[in-house]
């Protein structure tokens, strides 16, 4: 597996990166390659994080379309 590189212009603004990383960590803890917690509560938390991340990415997409 090769390391992923970030594009020159990051999709996620630097000030939002900690929040996005937290959402990704919550999702990965349940559905990642080596799940750390598969309890019902962890699954709910991961689902909430996925919804929040999805909404955030749609918002970014809309902003980029308006400025393009």
């Amino acid at each position: 597996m090769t390391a992923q590189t970030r594009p020159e212009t990051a999709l996620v603004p630097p000030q939002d990166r900690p929040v996005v990383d937290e959402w990704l960590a919550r999702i990965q803890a349940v559905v990642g390659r080596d799940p750390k917690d598969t309890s019902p509560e962890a699954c709910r938390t991961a689902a909430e994080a996925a919804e929040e991340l999805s909404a955030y990415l749609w918002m970014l997409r809309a902003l980029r379309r308006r400025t393009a």
Side-chain angles (χ1 to χ4, degrees):
M1 184 175 190
T2 60
Q4 292 180 348
T5 58
R6 291 189 182 176
E8 291 298 317
T9 55
L11 174 64
V12 176
Q15 67 271 20
D16 294 345
R17 192 72 219 186
V19 174
V20 171
D21 286 344
E22 174 61 29
W23 289 331
L24 293 172
R26 286 168 43 197
I27 296 165
Q28 186 176 7
V30 175
V31 297
R33 188 173 289 189
D34 182 25
K36 295 176 182 31
D37 188 359
T38 56
S39 69
E41 182 59 31
C43 291
R44 275 191 294 276
T45 299
E48 290 169 2
E51 288 178 14
E52 292 169 0
L53 179 59
S54 178
Y56 174 78
L57 292 174
W58 275 104
M59 181 199 67
L60 282 182
R61 182 176 181 256
L63 288 172
R64 287 186 183 244
R65 282 187 160 196
R66 277 190 265 156
T67 59

